[in-house]
Amino acid sequence: MKYKVIVSGGGTGGHIFPAVSIANAIKALQPDAEILFVGAEGRMEMERVPQAGYRIIGLPVRGLVRPLWSLKNISVMLDFLKSRHRVRSVIRDFRPDAVVGVGGYASGPTLNAAHIMGIPCVIQEQNSYAGVTNKMLAKKAEKICVAYHGMERFFPKERIVMTGNPVRQSLLDCHATKEEARKAFGLEGDRHTVLVIGGSLGARTVNDSISSSIRDFEEAGVQVLWQTGKYYAEECKRIAQEYYASKDNPRGSTEPLVHPQAFIADMALAYRAADIVISRAGASSISELCLLGKASILVPSPNVAEDHQTKNAKALSDKGAAVFCRDADARTVLAKTALELVGDTKRIKVLEEEVRKLAFFDSAEVIAKIVLEVADKHRRK
């Protein structure tokens, strides 16, 4: 009899990419396995998961409003109860052997309902500081897959398994040279290159820092491959165009060195093209940097639950595996820090060596095996 697994969560690429990687790994181990995703209506997973070839059901679940005593949270809680009722119906119809929660709004009601109905749950906690939802759900989980040491602060020690975070397999399959990768983006093959990524939706502070520093990169002769995110794309492109049309350009009419674009489809090539990476400190981004051995400057977002990105970034910078830059300081120091680092080959080499030591390989397959073991145990019962 084929395995049936529900994978729940999403909200950002940082949750969706690992979720799809785990699903793909389960299918690789058990090709006839049936996998159903449960996400939040209107969120990114409702588009990205079908693109990956999986069926998804949406719940009307939302996050709590700050401050917590806001009257708006009454409707949030009503949506949670409505979501839990709907997902119980989904579980009754689908009859899964196991449920996997990867974080995001949908994980809460889905794992909560699964536990009540006697379906075993596996949590994949991506960050170094566990969120409120996962800490609550952990009491009901069979296994908790983590990527950082010291997570017994949040979870029962006997249920923790160190697995690392899954990343997109395509990132590891790229064999282009640095020069080939740069030319694929219309960049010069032998020029120092900075890759700027602010997460799947973009990052205001990071974008402002690059926008105000175009002249600095031009004067230094450093090219920038700059993913702005869709919300900031038009503004960043306009600022770059206005700069290059002005008399302020120290290189005159030569080809621009700063290249803003809303979205980079081929991140494997983008990472390969870069000498250093400027990035937010989401769990998936950090896992990618570790596996690929990239020197980076991490600018944690201050607008995330429990300030977990700062804790993620510190987990690397405290080990000499990344450069830490506070979001509040970025507009004044980020470009200067990047220009100093990109020309320092010795320091880049040290950062690359240290960050590789923190990498976990085959995370998706390890987690998939845990899910199937939990499913087997449930079947035997």
Side-chain angles (χ1 to χ4, degrees):
M1 188 170 66
K2 64 183 178 183
Y3 290 91
K4 289 188 172 185
V5 177
I6 287 178
V7 180
S8 182
T12 67
H15 291 307
I16 297 165
F17 294 138
V20 171
S21 296
I22 293 168
N24 290 342
I26 291 171
K27 293 287 283 184
L29 294 169
Q30 294 288 336
D32 65 343
E34 191 174 346
I35 297 172
L36 175 66
F37 278 74
V38 176
E41 291 175 351
R43 304 291 290 185
M44 188 187 299
E45 60 265 26
M46 301 307 294
E47 179 182 345
R48 296 289 179 86
V49 168
Q51 288 173 355
Y54 294 101
R55 185 162 66 98
I56 186 168
I57 292 172
L59 304 178
V61 64
R62 296 176 288 141
L64 290 169
V65 177
R66 298 288 193 271
L68 293 177
W69 45 260
S70 169
L71 291 176
K72 293 180 180 178
N73 282 326
I74 296 174
S75 63
V76 172
M77 292 308 299
L78 289 174
D79 280 341
F80 176 89
L81 295 173
K82 190 189 302 181
S83 296
R84 192 173 69 176
H85 178 73
R86 183 181 297 180
V87 81
R88 288 185 73 170
S89 177
V90 170
I91 291 171
R92 275 195 299 269
D93 292 341
F94 186 68
R95 301 184 67 183
D97 301 300
V99 174
V100 184
V102 298
Y105 297 142
S107 280
T110 303
L111 271 70
N112 188 279
H115 174 71
I116 290 171
M117 299 173 74
I119 309 298
C121 302
V122 175
I123 291 175
Q124 201 253 322
E125 172 56 65
Q126 297 153 13
N127 295 295
S128 61
Y129 194 92
V132 174
T133 301
N134 272 355
K135 282 190 279 190
M136 293 173 61
L137 293 171
K139 300 170 186 175
K140 306 167 184 177
E142 293 288 319
K143 296 291 182 182
I144 304 150
C145 302
V146 303
Y148 294 90
H149 293 285
M151 297 303 285
E152 60 272 8
R153 291 175 294 162
F154 312 109
F155 304 129
K157 186 176 182 180
E158 66 278 6
R159 300 184 202 171
I160 294 174
V161 185
M162 183 70 68
T163 62
N165 289 325
V167 302
R168 293 166 280 184
Q169 185 59 39
S170 60
L171 297 179
L172 306 176
D173 293 338
C174 179
H175 302 294
T177 65
K178 188 171 284 190
E179 291 72 23
E180 290 169 343
R182 288 173 180 170
K183 289 177 181 177
F185 288 103
L187 307 176
E188 297 178 37
D190 58 352
R191 190 180 289 275
H192 285 320
T193 303
V194 178
L195 170 64
V196 181
I197 47 177
S200 51
L201 302 178
R204 162 62 68 187
T205 309
V206 174
N207 285 334
D208 286 351
S209 303
I210 304 303
S211 295
S212 62
S213 304
I214 294 175
R215 181 181 178 87
D216 297 325
F217 287 108
E218 284 284 342
E219 287 181 338
V222 172
Q223 58 194 358
V224 182
L225 180 57
W226 175 18
Q227 179 175 280
T228 64
K230 65 179 181 179
Y231 293 139
Y232 307 103
E234 293 305 315
E235 178 186 358
C236 293
K237 286 179 181 177
R238 176 183 56 76
I239 291 171
Q241 288 168 355
E242 289 176 356
Y243 171 80
Y244 286 113
S246 72
K247 297 178 181 179
D248 215 23
N249 182 3
R251 297 173 60 250
S253 61
T254 56
E255 283 294 309
L257 293 183
V258 178
H259 301 262
Q261 48 192 283
F263 180 73
I264 298 174
D266 195 335
M267 281 303 301
L269 273 179
Y271 278 125
R272 188 58 62 97
D275 293 305
I276 66 169
V277 180
I278 294 173
S279 175
R280 284 303 201 193
S284 286
S285 296
I286 285 184
S287 295
E288 291 171 359
L289 293 167
C290 291
L291 278 167
L292 298 173
K294 301 302 296 187
S296 66
I297 302 170
L298 299 176
V299 188
S301 171
N303 307 311
V304 294
E306 314 287 344
D307 196 26
H308 67 253
Q309 285 204 9
T310 294
K311 297 173 178 72
N312 290 349
K314 284 288 190 179
L316 267 67
S317 64
D318 289 350
K319 294 181 174 66
V323 177
F324 180 87
C325 177
R326 287 198 321 143
D327 185 86
D329 300 332
R331 288 182 175 87
T332 54
V333 305
L334 182 57
K336 181 175 181 290
T337 303
L339 288 170
E340 289 174 354
L341 179 60
V342 77
D344 191 341
T345 53
K346 288 184 179 179
R347 192 176 182 201
I348 288 174
K349 186 176 180 181
V350 170
L351 289 168
E352 290 174 342
E353 290 173 350
E354 293 304 314
V355 80
R356 283 192 186 98
K357 294 177 184 177
L358 305 178
F360 288 90
F361 293 89
D362 303 319
S363 294
E365 183 179 348
V366 173
I367 295 169
K369 287 179 177 177
I370 290 169
V371 174
L372 293 173
E373 286 171 6
V374 167
D376 270 332
K377 184 180 177 182
H378 177 65
R379 284 183 171 188
R380 287 196 298 270
K381 283 184 178 179

